[in-house]
């Protein structure tokens, strides 16, 4: 305990650092596990460390006295995988959530991002409406119409991507202590935002064809949540998409229990044969749809949108004005031009062909290795590899890092770290073409 206290107080173990597991610490200090448990308990009693469900003991003491509030520390801890994604040191990035640049901004579309001889109007340097650049909003509404969603520009609010959109929705519609439902497993950056807002998350078991209706109904009754955050197409991390009967059942339950659904829809623009979306069936009455260009065009553009009822859009626009004034007019004009001139749709067709080809190759390699994926019918970039009994997703990720392989462990995507689905890893098919990854799986599984 004295040695660990010295490391923590000196800053050698900064806030957020994880202590060794009980077993590994017992080996390192050459003492019994019970001795380590008592040492860790004493450090926790001294408020130097805290137990985190699924993560062991984490340092919470700040040597300079600027100790972060507990909910901020929890949010940063949840988002740790995002920090790893931003790290460029990994040679093989199979766990990354984004496609490689060669699939997006370094493809043919890059020529149109920097076309010479293009000029912007003088008024483009002004802030503009908090709702966003109107011609782009009109284009988005038109595209939603082609996807069988009746929308007009007053139904659209542009944002700095999907994460900004989710942040606005959380700030506008929730207060500390509220309960919300989330996919289990689900989108971990959303979990971090909800933790930061001190909102209580309740996981809804995710099946290959969508949310588990029995689990959803039971928790609607017991928890009385305000919102349900879910993904219908190309679910992150499992890759599955919602089936039509499941979508109907989700909307019926939501209507009965006065639940608002937030449908995160990053792959809506892909020419996928799967068209079952909650926003389409609901027509934006009880569903708020979140879209983004990050997954299909470029993560660097940081542009997305919210589609919802006009009254909800008006309230969200006021909050957007208070927090960021507006989104980027220059980026939105660029997107408008790419869509208007047809570049975006041509790019989407090529992107979808790449995804289909890569998905089939990854599925074939995984099946040849004798490994099971959670869903055989996937849309988007992700497949979810189920790990054999006794294999730890976190240990696998650590072992991968030693070999320059970035792996996204399943427990990061779960509110309940003990759920069986936490024992898996997310595979991004656009980054899973390196034979060294499959060699790593063969040696470690």
């Amino acid at each position: 305990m004295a040695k660990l206290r010295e490391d923590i107080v000196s800053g050698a173990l900064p806030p957020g650092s994880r202590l060794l597991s009980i077993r590994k610490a017992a080996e390192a200090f050459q003492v019994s596990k019970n001795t380590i448990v008592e040492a860790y308990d004493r450090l926790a009693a001294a408020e130097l460390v805290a137990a985190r469900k699924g993560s062991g003991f984490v340092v919470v003491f700040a040597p300079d006295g600027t100790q972060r509030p507990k909910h901020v520390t929890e949010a940063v801890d949840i988002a740790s995988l995002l920090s790893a994604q931003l790290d460029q040191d990994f040679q093989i990035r199979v766990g990354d959530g984004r496609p490689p640049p060669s699939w997006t901004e370094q493809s043919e579309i890059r020529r149109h991002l920097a076309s010479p001889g293009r000029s912007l109007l003088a008024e483009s340097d002004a802030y503009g409406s908090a709702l966003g650049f109107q011609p782009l909003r009109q284009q988005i509404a038109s595209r939603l119409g082609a996807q069988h969603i009746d929308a007009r520009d007053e139904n659209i609010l542009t944002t700095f991507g999907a994460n900004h959109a989710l942040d606005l929705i959380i700030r506008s519609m929730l207060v500390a202590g509220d309960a919300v439902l989330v996919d289990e497993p689900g989108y971990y950056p959303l979990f971090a935002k909800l933790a930061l807002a001190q909102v209580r998350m309740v996981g809804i078991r995710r099946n290959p064809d969508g949310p588990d209706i029995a689990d959803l109904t039971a928790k609607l009754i017991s928890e009385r949540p305000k919102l349900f955050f879910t993904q219908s197409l190309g679910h992150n991390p499992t890759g599955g998409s919602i089936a039509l009967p499941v979508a109907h059942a989700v909307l019926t339950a939501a209507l009965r229990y006065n639940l608002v659904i937030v449908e995160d829809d990053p792959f809506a623009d892909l020419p996928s044969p799967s068209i079952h979306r909650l926003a389409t069936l609901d027509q934006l009455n009880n569903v708020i749809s979140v879209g983004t260009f990050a997954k299909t065009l470029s993560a660097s553009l940081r542009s997305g949108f919210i589609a919802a009822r006009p009254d909800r859009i008006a309230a969200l626009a006021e909050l957007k004005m208070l927090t960021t004034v507006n989104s980027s007019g220059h980026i939105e004009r660029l997107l408008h031009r790419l869509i208007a001139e047809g570049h975006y749709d041509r790019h989407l067709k090529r992107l979808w062909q790449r995804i289909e080809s890569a998905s089939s190759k990854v599925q074939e390699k995984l099946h040849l290795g004798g490994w099971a994926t959670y869903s055989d019918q996937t849309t988007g970039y992700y497949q979810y590899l189920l790990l054999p009994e006794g294999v730890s997703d976190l240990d696998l990720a650590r072992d991968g890092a030693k070999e320059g392989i970035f792996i996204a462990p399943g427990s990061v995507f779960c509110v309940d770290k003990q759920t069986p689905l936490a024992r898996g890893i997310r595979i991004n098919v656009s980054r899973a073409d390196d034979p060294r990854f499959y060699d790593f799986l063969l040696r470690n599984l």
Side-chain angles (χ1 to χ4, degrees):
M1 178 191 173
K3 174 69 171 78
L4 290 170
R5 182 201 294 274
E6 178 185 343
D7 289 345
I8 292 169
V9 173
S10 68
L13 285 174
S17 300
R18 290 186 177 88
L19 300 187
L20 292 174
S21 68
I22 301 296
R23 179 181 61 81
K24 290 184 177 179
E27 294 173 355
F29 285 96
Q30 296 186 332
V31 296
S32 73
K33 294 179 183 178
N34 288 340
T35 301
I36 295 298
V37 170
E38 184 173 348
Y40 282 9
D41 285 344
R42 291 187 182 187
L43 291 169
E47 298 185 345
L48 297 174
V49 303
R52 295 277 186 264
K53 187 175 181 180
S55 301
F57 285 85
V58 177
V59 176
V60 295
F61 174 79
D64 59 2
T66 57
Q67 197 162 339
R68 291 185 295 200
K70 179 182 177 182
H71 67 283
V72 176
T73 300
E74 290 176 350
V76 172
D77 193 47
I78 293 170
S80 59
L81 185 67
L82 181 61
S83 176
Q85 288 190 71
L86 299 177
D87 184 352
Q88 299 298 316
D89 290 340
F90 292 95
Q91 297 174 334
I92 303 170
R93 307 183 62 83
V94 71
D96 205 308
R98 303 158 298 182
S102 60
W103 279 41
T104 53
E105 62 260 33
Q106 286 183 12
S107 67
E108 184 180 341
I109 207 163
R110 184 182 181 92
R111 293 191 295 111
H112 306 289
L113 294 176
S115 298
R118 303 280 187 169
S119 61
L120 294 171
L121 299 175
E123 59 265 26
S124 67
D125 284 328
Y127 280 126
S129 167
L131 289 167
F133 185 49
Q134 186 178 25
L136 177 61
R137 287 166 43 227
Q138 290 171 338
Q139 283 178 326
I140 293 171
S142 176
R143 296 181 73 83
L144 290 176
Q147 298 162 10
H148 311 290
I149 299 174
D150 183 20
R152 291 170 293 280
D153 59 325
E154 59 262 33
N155 295 105
I156 309 298
L157 174 73
T158 59
T159 64
F160 286 111
N163 276 284
H164 180 216
L166 293 170
D167 186 55
L168 288 174
I169 292 167
I170 291 168
R171 291 196 194 195
S172 175
M173 304 183 70
L174 299 171
V175 296
D178 282 345
V180 300
L181 305 180
V182 296
D183 287 333
E184 178 92 276
Y187 185 52
Y188 74 90
L190 167 67
F191 298 169
K193 288 175 175 54
L194 293 169
L196 189 62
Q198 302 182 68
V199 170
R200 185 165 57 88
M201 289 172 278
V202 179
I204 300 300
R205 185 167 53 252
R206 181 78 184 200
N207 294 331
D209 62 354
D212 186 291
I213 299 304
D215 195 30
L216 172 65
T217 304
K219 287 169 180 172
L220 282 172
I221 295 171
S222 64
E223 305 294 341
R224 295 294 177 179
K226 284 190 174 181
L227 301 176
F228 177 25
F229 293 87
T230 187
Q231 288 186 333
S232 294
L233 300 181
H235 174 253
N236 187 357
T238 67
S241 295
I242 197 167
L244 186 57
V246 176
H248 275 295
V250 168
L251 290 174
T252 300
L255 190 61
R256 180 179 180 184
Y257 292 98
N258 195 31
L259 175 75
V260 176
I261 297 174
V262 180
E263 185 176 42
D264 188 5
D265 213 354
F267 299 115
D269 281 343
L270 290 176
S272 163
S274 178
I275 60 170
H276 306 313
R277 300 160 65 193
L278 298 174
T280 305
L281 298 174
D282 175 76
Q283 293 297 303
L284 302 180
N285 291 313
N286 204 40
V287 172
I288 299 172
S289 180
V290 173
T292 179
F293 296 97
K295 291 290 195 296
T296 54
L297 185 56
S298 171
S300 299
L301 286 177
R302 309 310 309 153
S303 187
F305 62 90
I306 301 171
R309 289 183 343 212
D311 60 323
R312 287 179 174 147
I313 290 297
L316 290 165
E318 287 181 344
L319 181 60
K320 175 186 170 184
M321 180 181 64
L322 288 172
T323 54
T324 62
V325 181
N326 202 351
S327 42
S328 171
H330 284 315
I331 289 176
E332 290 173 11
R333 282 171 169 80
L334 172 61
L335 288 169
H336 169 255
R337 174 163 60 83
L338 291 173
I339 295 172
E341 296 178 0
H343 305 309
Y344 183 48
D345 283 321
R346 288 192 290 273
H347 166 74
L348 288 172
K349 290 178 182 178
R350 292 191 297 272
L351 181 61
W352 177 243
Q353 291 169 354
R354 280 175 156 169
I355 291 173
E356 281 193 308
S357 175
S359 292
S360 62
K361 290 177 182 177
V362 170
Q363 195 74 260
E364 180 182 0
K365 290 177 181 177
L366 293 177
H367 285 172
L368 282 173
W371 305 305
T373 54
Y374 191 58
S375 175
D376 288 335
Q377 302 297 322
T378 58
T379 301
Y381 297 126
Y382 311 121
Q383 294 191 19
Y384 197 67
L385 177 63
L386 299 173
L387 300 180
E389 192 73 35
V391 176
S392 164
D393 63 310
L394 294 175
D395 287 344
L396 193 68
R398 294 188 189 102
D399 291 340
K402 294 175 184 176
E403 300 186 30
I405 303 172
F406 174 50
I407 288 175
S411 56
V412 172
F413 301 91
C414 295
V415 177
D416 177 8
K417 306 300 182 185
Q418 305 308 314
T419 180
L421 277 177
R423 199 174 65 249
I425 62 171
R426 181 186 70 183
I427 295 177
N428 185 333
V429 300
S430 70
R431 294 178 178 270
D433 57 350
D434 196 309
R436 289 176 293 177
F437 169 61
Y438 300 98
D439 175 67
F440 170 81
L441 292 182
L442 282 170
R443 288 185 281 108
N444 287 274
L445 299 186

